[in-house]
Amino acid sequence: MGERSMKWLLPVLLLLASTVAADHNWEQRDIVAGQSLYADNCASCYGANLEGQPNWQSPNADGVLPAPPHDRTGHTWHHDDELLFEYTKLGGAAALEVRGGTGFNSGMPAFNETLTDDDVWDILAYIRSTWPEREREAQASRNPQH
């Protein structure tokens, strides 16, 4: 293989390696249980079909953003695994405070009292399972390599 051929191969190999390394959070997850848990705990805000609330990019009168879609049209897949987990477990404001963000008026409640860690990962695995491959790969690339 010539030097020109190698220039495109290395970035592709690095992307594949980071995607594989990041997928460890999704191994052994119960997507069926996640779908049921989503229906019971999340669908009232995020919609039965992950469609989110209308006008989700514009704050309500109280300054809180409506629930965004969890499907490919939203921004859930723009975030790494750890933030998605913390956002669900701790609630929006607390999850962002952990990362140095303050003053964010989030409508996302904490589920640390009602859902186990495995429940949260199963819900996230269900949501992730609905994304096209492109979005799954993009989201996986946002995770640190292990």
Side-chain angles (χ1 to χ4, degrees), residues 53-144:
Q53 295 175 345
N55 302 315
W56 62 274
Q57 294 176 313
S58 299
N60 292 327
D62 61 2
V64 175
L65 287 168
H70 282 315
D71 62 15
R72 67 172 184 77
T73 67
H75 61 82
T76 306
W77 58 271
H78 293 199
H79 303 296
D80 64 63
D81 294 350
E82 186 177 352
L83 179 60
L84 295 175
F85 178 83
E86 290 172 355
Y87 215 87
T88 308
K89 194 76 172 170
L90 305 175
L96 294 177
E97 282 180 23
V98 166
R99 293 180 173 227
T102 57
F104 182 71
N105 192 7
S106 173
M108 177 68 176
F111 283 90
N112 58 334
E113 303 271 329
T114 57
L115 296 173
T116 67
D117 289 359
D118 282 333
D119 290 343
V120 171
W121 284 117
D122 288 346
I123 291 168
L124 293 172
Y126 160 66
I127 292 168
R128 187 175 188 268
S129 76
T130 68
W131 300 336
E133 184 176 347
R134 178 179 165 270
E135 283 76 7
R136 283 194 311 273
E137 288 176 357
Q139 191 276 331
S141 73
R142 288 165 170 75
N143 295 295

